[in-house]
């Protein structure tokens, strides 16, 4: 470096235009610093404005933290014709805020270039961030340099001649290297990545590992750069012969460097594979359009989010149980208890049609593959009018389409099951299919002791499948989908004195469903249409000893047709119709319902014990539930949007009642970051199951009703943080309730009422959700719910705690992405125990020798001790060129807390003790993707 | 056995540590036997357990304690009858009247024969059958509810010997209390009224409306009878399973001699012919044919049982004369241990049998 003079003029370097991956940053462009007349920043495009490009919206460009000065060398200034002009320098702002890969793109004079490079090397930045994580970016800087003014007046410059013709473009240098850039493990092209080649004389050939990535001692004397196209292809032109270092930069991918030799006599052909950062969702998002009438305040869990949640084994629906408003079911089973409502009062829809069951064996894992889910939205109450026949909440699962960027798939195995999935393009469309089967039936018989007391004739096993085919038709998308599930188990009880047990002395269950959907969605101008028919057959079989024999087969045709019209920027109208037709065949043999047989909603069932005298019902029913609905999105002003809606449902061939359900939601964007929501609405649901059976229940039950109201505030902060506070109240009436009454049967005798619509309920509380989005290194949420859920079975009684009441529910989830594709997560839960019904003694059922508990008021015996549990999950992904291997260790109940779940009693109910929750359970899983 | 309980508990999420239900350490009522027109109190003789209006029903409780079987006649017991409506579960009828007192309960009608059809029990359900010894007799009187429901709920209340008085036991239960005295004896029995065809015929003949339920197939509409225990053989084995005393027939209540650590193998036999077919109404006018099956329960006051249940006409159990698990009782009370066996047919039929063993060191 030449000797610096104390020349009075300094050039203050200011960033003018930030180029990233060959495109200008769309974010904040650094403001030019005040500069001397000799140093004026200039943009790299014609206007001096940042170049528009397809830069990710969430890229935050680097912020310069210091200024540097370039001093014009006195020696040069003293020359007769001091050099002047614009030096263009390209460099990389690294993730630690330093500058690397400084390259002089356009030179003015070697000494000036050196001064400029030295100055740039001293720049420090707050690194650029993408989705909350620091990333490297390439920037280009134009520095206009001129000598300090002479003492004598400067000569008047002659106006430059105006060029009359555009000068011919210089000939392009020859291609010396070409190739394609792929995502490692996925083989999908990476577009818009920056490929930079710099000299690498003396460096080792091959991939440059992270530890050897040191900035060169001297600035690169040249560099060549290219940007990958949509197919990942790139060409590097004008590379000199010799050893070069190729640097690959792309947001969301790890920096890749490789040293190659460029021979003089041929073009180098090379493919590079870049590894996706673990902050970047692994899946190629093949989403579907979001609901235009969504309020934006729905609680959403993405498939990626759910797949890494501790304590859920990556299960989609189980992850929802960590959201505010969700209570924890016994033993962490698969029930969705939303805002104190019974599980049967909430509905789960997949692709607009309801699922008959959610979990294998009530809670092991969801019956559908989480990897084929795009997103899950939860409406804990006050859900849209497009959904009905539910008093609690709604879970709306939106499956994704198959990928169209190549054929992909995986095989996955953990301690319960193994699964496989394939997807890929078919013409313009795509297909995706997955299958899963458990192997508990292979393991359990092997580990059970010979004197276990029972034989597993059919050990518990489950399987499920999903397949979808999407194809663009006309202006829309046609989807065909099939899915199904099958759970079976059979055990025969065996006693030490009975080597040949009676086959009837056992328990057998089989639950399955198969479903086929068609869906066509299209948009024309401001109209969009949806038409989706679905057929489903589901079956439940349960045999317990020779006393309970339940067989239910249901054929359902479900049809939904709706149209949405955008009425303006902030307004839209959706109208639709839904028809659900059920052909039910019940073949049930069971004792009359007794006190231990609670109603479907929970709570006390009809009084009495289980009878030795079983009864049966062979009921063939056709039920129809047509409905029409409409919701208007009405943006009254910029900040206030109303969502009035209504639904009319006819419960034909059951109660023949007509339910009118008006609903209103309002969203106020108080500020850019503050949203206030309020809602009120009526909801109806027809009782089902044994409650309406003519033998075991009351076929004359009417629909149950609920009035929901809620008010919430959501505040969004920077870098993905948000907080949401919601208060809610539900009043439930016409609830199907167990009745101990007997009435005149009109023939001079009596008959039991069994169930009537005399029940009332109420639930109220508040929810807090502090959430950090899934995008960055740190993610998670803190969910807290305080609530009370009460029910009154009979008129005149006091309200008592409902079975699913949990006063305090605190769930904290935190995950952190570590380097090298490690990821750790933890979940901690602390919540109130469930209510207890006091039982102190019993009466002997002399007809069968069993004991019938004498009970106090329902749920009046206090609560189980609070539940607390810590779960831990560690994920590691190894990415190879063509495949990716993932492994996880999910440890539930890390410190082996003994949380009481239930109370078990002595034979005469005079003694009791708690039944603890599951102990520490480690689960290991492996997943090979391609 | 313990391992099997543990394994099943592991699967079903149950817990251990509670008292063994098969170990009788306080007084209990294990069963009650219904006999129509009983001519012989010997439980080894099959008798009809299903009653028709106009007939008398003999009710005998089987009350046991840590020192043996309790003579029902020594008890101060109360029986209450209540007419079950169709589909009404047992112990749903009487509690519908709670709170109530024993004094409030009307006495049950005592008419038999044709008179039982002439004076329907309107307003007399629930009613007090009687008070006195544990065994009693109830005259079944017709009503439309009896015709339709075809079952009576019979509630047993008694104070245990030297325990809480029966009045206190009754007042607590009938008040609807759940925290009743621990030593009270409570039981509920269901007395079937039928057979269905005979009941319908008699009902129509006496001006009642026929039951809503259509008649079951004739081959299944036979009276429910009590099973019998025709043979009990006991073999005494030592701890090496060698026979010490060869198998021999023993009678109910017989007292044997054995030594600590020996094993008594008990083989019982109940005739398959004692089991009747029956039909389960399906609600749509059709029926599902089924048949009774044995359910045996084994209990003891001391020692360890190989199993506590048996489900076959010919069944066996092994009774090891060693201190029971988890109980500090190195020797049986008074040096005598008792074994109780109750076998049911899955409906109203029941039979029982017991032996005592003087346990020597």
């Amino acid at each position: 470096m030449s000797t610096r003079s104390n020349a009075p003029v300094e050039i203050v370097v200011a960033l003018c235009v930030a180029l990233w991956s060959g495109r200008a940053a769309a974010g904040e462009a650094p403001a030019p610093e005040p500069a001397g007349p000799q140093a004026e920043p200039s943009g790299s495009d014609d206007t001096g404005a940042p170049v528009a490009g397809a830069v990710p919206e969430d890229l935050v460009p680097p912020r310069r933290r210091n200024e540097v000065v370039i001093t014009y060398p006195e020696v040069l200034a003293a020359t007769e014709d001091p050099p002047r002009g614009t030096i263009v320098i390209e460099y990389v702002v690294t993730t630690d805020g330093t500058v690397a890969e400084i390259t002089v793109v356009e030179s003015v004079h070697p000494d000036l270039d050196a001064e400029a490079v030295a100055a740039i090397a001293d720049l420090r930045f707050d690194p650029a961030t993408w989705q909350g994580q620091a990333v490297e970016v390439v920037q280009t800087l134009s520095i206009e340099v001129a000598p300090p003014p002479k003492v004598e007046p400067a000569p008047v410059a002659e106006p430059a001649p105006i060029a009359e013709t555009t000068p011919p473009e210089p000939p392009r240098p020859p291609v010396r290297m070409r190739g394609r850039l792929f995502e490692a493990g996925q083989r999908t092209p990476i577009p818009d990545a920056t490929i930079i080649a710099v000299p690498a004389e003396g460096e080792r050939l091959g991939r440059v590992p992270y530890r050897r990535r040191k900035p060169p001692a001297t600035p690169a004397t040249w560099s060549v750069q290219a940007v990958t196209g949509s197919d990942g292809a790139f060409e590097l032109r004008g590379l000199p012969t010799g050893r070069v270092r190729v640097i690959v930069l792309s947001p969301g991918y790890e920096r890749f460097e490789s040293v190659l030799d460029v021979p003089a006599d041929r073009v180098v052909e090379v493919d590079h594979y870049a590894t996706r950062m673990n902050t970047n969702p692994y899946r190629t998002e093949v989403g579907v359009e979001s609901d235009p009438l969504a309020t934006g305040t729905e609680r959403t869990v993405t498939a990626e989010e759910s797949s890494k949640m501790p304590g859920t084994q990556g299960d989609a629906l189980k992850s929802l149980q960590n959201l505010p408003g969700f209570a924890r079911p016994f033993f962490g089973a698969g029930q969705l208890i939303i805002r104190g409502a019974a599980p049967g009062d909430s509905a789960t829809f997949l692709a607009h049609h309801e699922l008959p069951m959610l979990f294998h064996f009530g809670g092991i894992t969801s019956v559908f593959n989480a990897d084929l889910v795009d997103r899950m939205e939860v409406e804990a109450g006050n859900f849209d009018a497009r959904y009905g026949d539910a008093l609690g909440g709604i879970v709306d699962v939106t499956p994704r389409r198959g990928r169209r960027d190549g054929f992909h798939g995986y095989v996955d195995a953990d301690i319960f099951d193994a699964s496989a999935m394939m997807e890929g393009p078919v013409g313009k469309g795509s297909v995706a299919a997955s299958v899963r089967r458990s192997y508990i039936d292979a393991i359990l018989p092997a580990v059970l002791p010979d004197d276990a007391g029972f034989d597993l004739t059919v050990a518990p096993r489950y399987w499920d499948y999903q397949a979808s085919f999407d194809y663009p038709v006309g202006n829309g998308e046609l989807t065909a989908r099939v899915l199904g599930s099958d759970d079976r188990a059979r055990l025969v009880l065996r006693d030490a004195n009975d080597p040949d047990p009676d086959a009837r002395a056992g328990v057998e269950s089989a639950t399955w469903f198969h479903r086929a959907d068609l869906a066509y969605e299209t948009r024309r101008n401001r109209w969009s249409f949806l038409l989706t028919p679905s057929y489903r057959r589901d079956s439940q079989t349960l045999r317990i000893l020779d006393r309970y024999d339940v067989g239910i087969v249901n054929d359902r045709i479900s049809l939904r047709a709706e149209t949405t019209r955008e009425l303006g920027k902030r307004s839209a109208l959706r109208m639709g119709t839904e028809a659900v037709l059920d052909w039910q065949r019940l073949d049930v043999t069971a004792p009359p319902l007794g006190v231990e047989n609670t109603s479907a909603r929970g709570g006390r069932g009809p009084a009495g014990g289980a009878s030795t005298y079983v009864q049966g019902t062979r009921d063939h029913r056709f039920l129809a539930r047509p409905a029409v609905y409409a919701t208007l999105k009405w943006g009254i002003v910029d900040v206030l949007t109303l969502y009035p809606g209504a639904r009319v449902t006819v419960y034909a061939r059951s109660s023949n009642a007509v339910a009118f359900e008006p609903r209103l939601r309002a969203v106020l964007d108080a500020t850019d970051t503050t949203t206030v929501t309020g809602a009120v609405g009526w909801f109806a649901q027809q009782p089902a199951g044994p409650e309406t059976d003519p033998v075991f229940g009351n076929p004359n039950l009417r629909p149950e009703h609920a009035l929901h109201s809620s008010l919430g505030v959501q505040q969004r902060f920077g870098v993905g943080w948000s907080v949401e506070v919601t208060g809610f109240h539900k009043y439930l009436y016409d609830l199907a309730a167990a009745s101990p009454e007997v009435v005149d049967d009109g023939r001079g005798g009596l008959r039991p009422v069994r169930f009537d619509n005399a029940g009332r309920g109420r639930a109220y509380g508040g929810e807090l959700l502090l959430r950090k989005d899934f995008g960055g290194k740190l993610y998670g949420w803190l969910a807290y719910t305080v609530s009370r859920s009460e029910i009154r079975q009979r008129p005149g009684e006091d309200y008592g705690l409902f079975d699913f009441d949990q006063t305090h529910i605190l769930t904290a989830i935190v995950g952190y992405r570590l380097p090298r594709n490690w990821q750790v997560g933890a979940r901690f839960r602390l919540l109130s125990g469930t209510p207890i019904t006091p039982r102190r003694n019993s009466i002997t059922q002399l007809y069968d020798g069993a004991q019938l508990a004498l009970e106090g008021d329902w749920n009046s015996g206090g609560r189980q001790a609070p539940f607390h549990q810590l779960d831990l999950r560690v994920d590691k992904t190894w990415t190879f060129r063509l495949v990716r291997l993932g492994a996880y260790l999910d440890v539930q109940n890390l410190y082996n807390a003994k949380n009481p779940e239930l109370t078990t009693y002595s034979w005469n109910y005079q003694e009791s003790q708690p039944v603890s929750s599951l102990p520490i359970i480690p689960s290991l899983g492996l997943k090979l993707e391609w | 056995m313990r391992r099997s309980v543990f394994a099943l508990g592991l699967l079903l999420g149950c817990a251990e540590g509670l008292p063994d239900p098969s170990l009788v350490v306080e007084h209990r009522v294990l069963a009650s036997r219904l006999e129509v027109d009983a001519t012989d109190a010997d439980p080894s003789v099959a008798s009809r357990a299903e009653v028709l209006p106009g007939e008398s029903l003999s009710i005998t409780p089987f009350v046991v304690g840590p020192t043996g079987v309790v003579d029902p006649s020594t008890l101060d017991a109360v029986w209450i009858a209540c007419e079950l409506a169709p589909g009404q579960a047992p112990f749903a009828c009487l509690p519908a009247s709670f709170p109530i007192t024993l004094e409030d309960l009307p006495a049950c009608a005592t008419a038999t024969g044709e008179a039982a059809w002439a004076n329907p029990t309107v307003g007399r359900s629930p009613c007090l059958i009687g008070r006195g010894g544990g065994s009693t007799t109830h005259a079944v009187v017709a009503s439309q509810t009896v015709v339709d429901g075809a079952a009576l709920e019979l509630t047993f209340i008694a104070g245990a010997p030297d325990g809480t008085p029966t009045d206190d036991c009754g007042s607590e239960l009938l008040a609807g209390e759940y925290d009743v005295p621990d030593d009270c004896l409570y039981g509920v029995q269901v007395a079937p009224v039928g057979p269905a065809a005979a009941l319908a015929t008699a009902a129509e003949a006496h001006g009642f409306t026929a039951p809503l339920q259509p008649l079951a197939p004739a081959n299944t509409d036979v009276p429910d009878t009590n099973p019998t225990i025709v043979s009990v053989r006991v073999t005494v084995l030592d701890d090496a399973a060698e026979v010490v005393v060869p198998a021999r027939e023993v009678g109910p209540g017989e007292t044997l001699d054995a030594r600590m650590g020996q094993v008594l193998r008990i083989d019982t036999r109940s005739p398959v012919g004692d089991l009747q077919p029956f039909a389960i109404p399906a609600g749509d006018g059709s029926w599902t044919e089924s048949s009774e099956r044995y359910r045996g329960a084994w209990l003891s006051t001391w020692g360890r049982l190989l199993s506590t249940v048996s489900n076959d006409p010919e069944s066996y159990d092994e009774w090891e004369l060693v201190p029971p698990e988890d109980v500090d009782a190195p020797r049986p009370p008074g040096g005598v241990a008792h074994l109780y066996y109750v076998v049911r047919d899955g409906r109203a039929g029941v039979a029982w049998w017991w032996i005592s063993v003087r346990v020597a060191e």
Side-chain angles (χ1 to χ4, degrees), chain A residues 65 93-99 124-127 134-136:
Chain A
R65 295 204 303 254
V93 179
T94 64
T95 55
D96 61 2
T98 59
V99 176
R124 292 294 179 269
F125 293 84
D126 292 330
V135 294
E136 293 182 333

Side-chain angles (χ1 to χ4, degrees), chain B residues 196-341:
Chain B
L199 177 63
T201 302
E204 288 188 290
H206 292 91
F208 287 87
T209 306
L212 288 172
Q213 192 81 281
L215 294 179
N219 63 316
T220 61
D221 191 26
V222 296
D224 186 6
T225 60
N226 288 301
T228 54
I229 301 170
V230 296
S231 169
V232 176
R233 296 169 63 82
V234 176
T235 309
V236 181
L237 311 169
D238 63 16
D239 55 3
E242 296 294 329
V243 175
V244 177
V245 178
R248 71 173 181 89
E249 289 281 343
V250 296
E254 193 171 325
T255 300
L256 311 175
D257 289 294
R259 291 188 176 279
M260 185 84 78
Q262 290 183 330
V263 176
L264 272 63
R265 176 183 165 116
I266 304 106
D267 292 88
T268 73
R269 188 168 67 84
S270 294
V272 177
D274 283 357
L275 301 176
Q276 296 95 49
F278 64 97
I280 301 169
D284 62 350
S286 62
W287 297 80
T288 301
E289 293 190 19
S290 187
S291 63
E292 295 176 339
R293 57 188 289 262
Y294 283 116
R295 293 191 178 99
W298 299 85
L299 304 95
S300 69
T301 60
W302 188 83
R304 299 183 189 181
L305 293 167
L306 175 66
S307 178
T308 58
V309 295
S310 54
N311 297 311
D312 298 309
E314 294 182 4
S315 65
Y316 82 97
D317 206 350
E318 290 181 354
W319 186 22
E320 189 178 6
L321 300 178
V322 295
E325 289 182 285
D326 304 325
V327 175
D328 183 19
R331 290 185 52 78
V336 180
H338 306 273
L339 180 76
Y340 309 120
Y341 175 61

Side-chain angles (χ1 to χ4, degrees), chain A residues 331 444 448-454 456 460 491 493-502 504-505 545-547 586-590 592-595 606-620 694-695 740-742 745 747-752 754 838-857 860-861 902 904-908 910-916 918-919, chain B residues 1 3-5 7-8 11-23 26-32 79 83 85-92 95-96 143-145 148 154-156 173 176-184 186-192 209-213 224 278-284 286-288 290-293 295 298 306-312 315-318 344 346-350:
Chain A
F331 293 100
L444 205 54
L448 277 176
D450 292 338
D451 58 349
F454 53 88
L456 289 164
L491 64 87
L493 300 176
R494 175 162 49 83
D495 286 295
N497 62 344
D498 192 0
D500 186 21
D502 189 332
R504 291 184 296 178
L545 305 176
D546 56 356
R547 293 170 59 78
L586 289 83
D587 194 345
V588 177
T589 301
L593 292 174
V595 72
S611 174
T612 293
Y613 294 90
V614 294
Q615 292 181 299
T617 182
R618 287 201 191 106
D619 192 16
H620 292 208
V695 173
E741 297 172 3
V742 288
D745 66 357
R747 308 163 65 248
L750 299 172
R751 64 171 177 83
R754 300 194 189 94
R839 299 177 176 94
R840 301 277 187 276
N841 223 311
S842 65
I843 180 170
T844 303
Q845 298 178 166
L846 300 172
Y847 47 90
D848 64 2
Q851 299 289 320
L852 173 64
L854 300 173
E855 297 175 333
D857 289 339
S860 66
L902 301 168
T904 184
Y905 297 89
S906 61
W907 66 274
N908 56 4
Q910 292 177 4
E911 294 182 45
S912 65
Q913 69 178 34
V915 179
S916 294
L918 297 176
Chain B
M1 184 61 196
R3 283 183 70 186
S4 61
V5 169
L8 190 60
L11 280 183
L12 304 179
C14 297
E16 286 194 306
L18 294 171
D20 180 357
S22 69
L23 194 65
E26 69 286 290
H27 287 96
R28 295 194 208 176
V29 54
L30 295 182
S32 66
W79 283 98
E83 298 170 356
Q88 195 173 23
F91 206 59
S143 75
Q144 189 62 51
T145 303
D148 291 340
L154 306 172
T155 303
F156 171 79
L173 181 71
E177 292 292 330
Y178 67 95
D179 196 3
V180 296
D182 287 348
D183 61 348
C184 290
Y186 298 115
V188 60
Q189 175 66 289
V190 176
T209 306
L212 288 172
Q213 192 81 281
D224 186 6
F278 64 97
I280 301 169
D284 62 350
S286 62
W287 297 80
T288 301
S290 187
S291 63
E292 295 176 339
R293 57 188 289 262
R295 293 191 178 99
W298 299 85
L306 175 66
S307 178
T308 58
V309 295
S310 54
N311 297 311
D312 298 309
S315 65
Y316 82 97
D317 206 350
E318 290 181 354
R344 294 179 170 85
R347 294 200 294 167
V350 64

